[in-house]
Amino acid sequence: MTILALEHCDLLIVGAGPAGMAAAVAAAPSGASIVVIDDNPAPGGQIWRDGPGAALPPAARKWREALERHANIRVCSGTRVIAAPAHGELLLEDAVRGWRMQWKKLILCTGARELLLPFPGWTLPGVTGAGGLQALIKAGLPVEGERIVVAGSGPLLLAAAATARAAGAKVVRIAEQASLAAAAGFAVKLLRWPGKAVQALTLGDTRYRTSSRIVAVQGRGQVESVLLRQGGREVQIDCDRVACGFGLTPNTQLGQMLGCALAPADTGAPPLAVDALQRTSLPGVYAAGECTGFGGSERALAQGTIAGYAAVGNERAARQHEHERARWNAFAAQLHRSFALAPDIRQMPQPDTLVCRCEDVPFSALAGCSGWTDAKLHRRCGMGACQGRVCGDAAQFLFGWTPPSPRPPLSPARIATLAGLAVHGNDVDRQ
Amino acid sequence: MSGQTSLHIDGRLVRVKAGTSVAAALRVADSMGVARTSISGQPRAPFCGMGVCQECRVRVDGRRMLACQTVCAEGMQVETTA
């Protein structure tokens, strides 16, 4: 049986988005040995995703170059966390091998995922997440000449539309569920963050409609049209692709598996709880970026910088970035207020709409369940490959069910990786 | 990034820009970009685009991979999965 390699580092950072990059760069001058792992092919996270369809912004290049400049930072791309076999150790896997990584300090920069909600037709090929469409286009998805409808909530819809348009698609409608008053109010408040206001102006679009909801996506085998409710009336729009996103959910799975406490959340899924130095409730474990609540790349950079300094004992330098973090925390709070999801978004699924896309579990099968565990055990909801990351978030929004703390393996893993672990006699269990 | 990469998707030769993800290449190979079939037999294509939903899992050179997080390489053999 394979014996897994055991590696060591002083500081392990999980996630190479803005928070993870900033954390590594802040920590590097200490001379600590730093390893950054990330499941994507290149560092940058979702916002700075590289590819043949992407033009990396100067900020992204600057951070990437900074990572490369430090000889004590090692970036492992295409790498996932599978389990936490022992205290201060994670089991990792990439395309070719599994290995164990021991750390003295850990910074979780696991980001956020899109909240994807079920509606009739959401499983048809051609329906993607809004951020998902952006990611796919940056990775080379050809959309030239395609008619695309973007629907859901939040500024990400405008960003996704802009990416699609730049790639040659015709964005025929951007349907925002929030009211005109809420969206306009957000635009006015943006004057407090001038950089964001300029960004918003460049994303402005005449196809933007407020108080607009998806009723259904229609098509035989693939997307052919979308039915929207705009104010009081229904409109059908022919299109080739629908991109939908209803905000973001913090990726807290790894933190939860390790035993980090969650912060209370007014709405939606709770983020990881952190203190002023980005420390989680677990000694030696820090968290930064959207796993502590979503709020954009500037907030993630500020948090990452603080976490990086704090993790190597430079609290003085960390505290110098508190003002910057506060400024972007205020932006995040405004974003949450303006684009809060209307209660009637919960009415989108029909009885036969699949909620669990992995196990094909329809909404009607879940309506009588008492909670997440009941749905999982008796309806197989959340038992598939995504491990409830899509339907668990949807069920939390639709029914108010809280998914239990995740258990290893955190991602689908090869048998060889898991078997190699058994040789060491460790239980694959939480710390 | 410049140049092109050639790979096979379900035996069909596909040429894409270097650096393209397998998820994007699926769309080049097939009008719907289908990656797999659901347990009740429905076609499914890449959905989240960022390694969360697992809808884009395919076999790449015999290994199960997420198409959205795998970059096309010269001579790669990709099989969509039932």
Side-chain angles (χ1 to χ4, degrees):
Chain A
M1 203 179 277
T2 330
I3 292 182
L4 295 178
L6 178 63
E7 297 178 7
H8 307 266
C9 65
D10 295 323
L11 173 61
L12 179 63
I13 298 172
V14 181
M21 290 170 127
V25 170
S30 69
S33 63
I34 301 167
V35 173
V36 186
I37 67 153
D38 188 85
D39 59 350
N40 282 298
Q46 301 308 332
I47 189 160
W48 293 331
R49 182 178 279 270
D50 204 353
L56 274 190
R61 293 203 178 281
K62 189 192 97 180
W63 284 101
R64 204 190 265 198
E65 282 160 17
L67 278 187
E68 287 165 4
R69 237 186 352 258
H70 294 283
N72 57 331
I73 300 176
R74 184 176 137 217
V75 179
C76 303
S77 294
T79 302
R80 294 169 191 283
V81 177
I82 304 302
H87 181 71
E89 186 181 315
L90 292 181
L91 174 64
L92 308 176
E93 185 186 271
D94 67 12
V96 285
R97 65 171 190 144
W99 76 102
R100 297 151 65 210
M101 177 65 78
Q102 279 187 342
W103 47 267
K104 291 177 187 147
K105 296 282 175 67
L106 177 68
I107 306 181
L108 305 172
C109 303
T110 46
R113 56 184 181 269
E114 276 187 280
L115 175 61
L116 300 161
L117 297 174
F119 49 79
W122 79 313
T123 53
L124 279 173
V127 178
T128 66
L133 177 64
Q134 259 194 317
L136 289 162
I137 290 173
K138 288 178 179 179
L141 182 80
V143 292
E144 196 171 352
E146 281 190 0
R147 298 161 301 171
I148 299 182
V149 171
V150 185
S153 194
L156 182 61
L157 303 185
L158 287 166
T163 301
R165 210 181 305 101
K170 287 177 225 152
V171 176
V172 289
R173 182 59 43 92
I174 303 168
E176 165 63 58
Q177 61 88 38
S179 67
L180 177 61
F186 180 73
V188 169
K189 295 263 172 46
L190 278 185
L191 294 173
R192 281 178 63 194
W193 302 275
K196 286 285 173 193
V198 169
Q199 213 177 37
L201 284 176
T202 61
L203 296 175
D205 195 293
T206 56
R207 307 281 175 176
Y208 189 73
R209 298 286 186 284
T210 50
S211 298
S212 291
R213 323 273 159 91
I214 286 190
V215 177
V217 172
Q218 297 139 330
R220 286 152 303 188
Q222 63 182 337
V223 174
E224 291 173 14
S225 65
V226 59
L227 188 62
L228 299 173
R229 185 171 299 122
Q230 290 183 176
R233 64 195 182 95
E234 288 194 347
V235 289
Q236 185 164 334
I237 299 174
D238 290 343
C239 58
D240 306 300
R241 195 176 282 282
V242 174
C244 57
F246 297 88
L248 299 173
T249 294
N251 283 327
T252 58
Q253 270 80 4
L254 174 56
Q256 281 183 275
M257 190 177 80
L258 295 173
C260 298
L262 297 175
D266 299 338
T267 54
L272 293 174
V274 286
D275 69 6
L277 287 171
Q278 301 297 135
R279 288 181 294 213
T280 69
S281 64
L282 216 61
V285 181
Y286 300 71
E290 305 214 306
C291 62
T292 72
F294 71 87
S297 59
E298 296 88 349
R299 177 178 172 276
L301 287 169
Q303 287 194 339
T305 301
I306 292 171
Y309 281 129
V312 294
N314 194 349
E315 291 188 13
R316 193 158 160 261
R319 295 205 186 274
Q320 284 170 358
H321 292 266
E322 283 179 345
H323 175 73
E324 190 188 338
R325 179 181 56 193
R327 174 175 152 79
W328 293 111
N329 275 344
F331 170 74
Q334 185 59 50
L335 194 64
H336 288 245
R337 273 195 299 276
S338 298
F339 295 100
L341 293 179
D344 68 352
I345 294 285
R346 288 189 181 83
Q347 314 300 320
M348 283 196 307
Q350 295 298 307
D352 63 347
T353 304
L354 298 183
V355 175
C356 175
R357 301 169 63 103
C358 296
E359 293 290 326
D360 291 356
V361 183
F363 182 75
S364 59
L366 299 176
C369 291
S370 61
W372 179 246
T373 305
D374 184 21
K376 201 167 173 173
L377 292 179
H378 296 110
R379 307 292 183 201
R380 294 199 55 80
C381 186
M383 294 291 275
C386 93
Q387 297 172 300
R389 281 175 179 72
V390 177
C391 62
D393 293 346
Q396 188 155 25
F397 177 77
L398 293 171
F399 306 111
W401 298 343
T402 306
S405 185
R407 286 189 290 184
L410 207 56
S411 302
R414 288 190 296 274
I415 292 289
T417 304
L418 297 172
L421 191 66
V423 172
H424 301 279
N426 290 317
D427 288 334
V428 181
D429 209 338
R430 75 188 60 181
Q431 289 186 32
Chain B
M1 278 179 223
S2 60
Q4 292 218 312
T5 303
S6 301
L7 68 160
H8 285 89
I9 299 181
D10 292 331
R12 192 179 147 193
L13 180 70
V14 174
R15 283 197 179 84
V16 295
K17 278 187 198 161
T20 297
S21 73
V22 172
L26 290 171
R27 171 70 176 75
V28 179
D30 166 271
S31 65
M32 298 188 292
V34 170
R36 57 178 287 265
T37 309
S38 84
I39 57 164
S40 62
Q42 303 170 15
R44 295 284 170 77
F47 179 53
C48 81
M50 49 190 77
V52 174
C53 75
Q54 310 273 324
E55 289 279 42
C56 70
R57 58 191 190 270
V58 291
R59 294 195 84 77
V60 176
D61 296 335
R63 277 198 166 129
R64 199 173 83 160
M65 306 281 276
L66 291 184
C68 73
Q69 291 186 313
T70 306
V71 176
C72 294
E74 191 64 31
M76 203 177 237
Q77 298 284 338
V78 177
E79 298 161 74
T80 61
T81 54

